[in-house]
């Protein structure tokens, strides 16, 4: 039986050149046939609204077994994290992988996407948590990673030189971490 991974895309059409689709394709190739990377198109990705994305995330998570592997890219990572911190999803998570995720502030337009200050204490059990970010990411400032590090000190942090945000050439370390997390989850 193939291990399912739910991938929540970033904002914008994931099938465009800088969308999440190339990262998804790369993961599918690197992970091989033992894994099924599910990457549903999120509602109105060019004008993302939290409630619509939350409902879609909830629906997609409902299709997965316990000990799921979850990936959130960019805005999709912040949407996924916010949903998980709401406390309605209680199944254990084998691995949560957050790639180039913005840490939203408290400005009016950001509030829709922002997590509560105590979000980390509200998350379901997560066995393995990883944060990936480029030092010079031109879309999401590196300071976002630092904020998440403060709130999620248990996370394994992967920092990359350069300005990659979409990882259109792939992210081999992500695939390696997924395989390692899955093996460890099976051992528990």
């Amino acid at each position: 039986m193939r291990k399912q991974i739910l991938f929540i895309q970033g904002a914008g059409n994931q099938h465009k050149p800088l969308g999440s689709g190339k990262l998804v394709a790369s993961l599918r190739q690197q992970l091989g046939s033992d894994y099924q990377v599910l990457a549903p198109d999120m509602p109105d990705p060019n004008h993302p609204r939290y409630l619509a994305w939350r409902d879609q995330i909830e629906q997609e998570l409902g299709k997965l077994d316990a000990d799921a592997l979850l990936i959130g890219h960019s805005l999709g990572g912040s949407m996924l994290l916010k949903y998980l911190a709401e406390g309605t999803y209680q199944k254990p998570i084998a691995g949560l992988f957050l790639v180039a995720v913005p840490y939203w502030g408290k400005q009016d337009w950001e509030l829709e996407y922002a997590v509560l200050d105590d979000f980390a204490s509200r998350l379901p059990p997560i066995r393995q948590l990883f944060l990936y970010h480029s030092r010079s990411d031109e879309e999401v400032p590196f300071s976002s990673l630092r904020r998440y590090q403060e709130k999620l000190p248990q996370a394994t942090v992967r920092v990359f030189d350069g300005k990659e945000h979409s990882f259109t050439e792939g992210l081999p370390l992500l695939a390696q971490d997924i395989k390692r997390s899955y093996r460890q989850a099976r051992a528990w």
Side-chain angles (χ1 to χ4, degrees):
M1 185 170 159
R2 298 191 320 166
K3 182 63 180 168
Q4 293 180 325
I5 301 169
L6 178 60
F7 185 106
I8 304 300
Q9 71 178 69
N13 184 329
Q14 69 174 323
H15 306 290
K16 296 282 185 178
L18 294 178
S20 299
K22 287 187 177 183
L23 179 54
V24 170
S26 173
L27 278 172
R28 286 178 176 148
Q29 179 188 22
Q30 292 168 351
L31 292 171
S33 60
D34 290 341
Y35 296 84
Q36 180 183 17
V37 180
L38 306 168
D41 288 321
M42 297 305 286
D44 197 7
N46 291 319
H47 304 95
R49 305 302 304 190
Y50 175 68
L51 293 179
W53 281 47
R54 179 200 66 193
D55 292 349
Q56 181 78 31
I57 289 169
E58 186 171 61
Q59 180 181 350
E60 299 298 333
L61 284 172
K63 300 174 187 176
L64 303 178
D65 298 329
D67 289 324
L69 295 171
L70 310 175
I71 302 170
H73 178 229
S74 194
L75 177 73
S78 58
M79 298 279 211
L80 178 59
L81 200 55
K82 182 171 178 159
Y83 169 76
L84 292 173
E86 287 179 348
T88 56
Y89 186 80
Q90 291 299 315
K91 294 179 186 175
I93 296 169
L96 177 61
F97 308 86
L98 300 173
V99 181
V101 176
Y103 195 100
W104 300 102
K106 302 299 183 202
Q107 297 177 22
D108 288 343
W109 70 271
E110 294 180 339
L111 287 175
E112 177 178 3
Y113 311 116
V115 292
L116 296 174
D117 289 337
D118 66 342
F119 79 92
S121 67
R122 298 169 177 260
L123 294 171
I126 300 171
R127 291 200 178 110
Q128 301 278 328
L129 176 58
F130 292 84
L131 305 172
Y132 305 83
H133 212 102
S134 295
R135 286 186 201 283
S136 301
D137 185 327
E138 293 179 332
E139 301 293 323
V140 176
F142 192 67
S143 60
S144 287
L145 174 68
R146 290 193 188 112
R147 298 281 309 275
Y148 283 121
Q149 279 183 281
E150 291 170 11
K151 300 286 187 175
L152 302 166
Q154 76 277 25
T156 299
V157 178
R158 308 285 196 210
V159 176
F160 304 96
D161 291 327
K163 56 186 178 179
E164 190 65 47
H165 176 76
S166 297
F167 295 95
T168 56
E169 300 299 317
L171 189 52
L173 191 52
L174 173 58
Q176 292 170 17
D177 289 339
I178 289 169
K179 288 178 180 180
R180 194 174 307 116
S181 293
Y182 179 59
R183 283 193 303 271
Q184 289 176 353
R186 289 178 53 197
W188 282 314

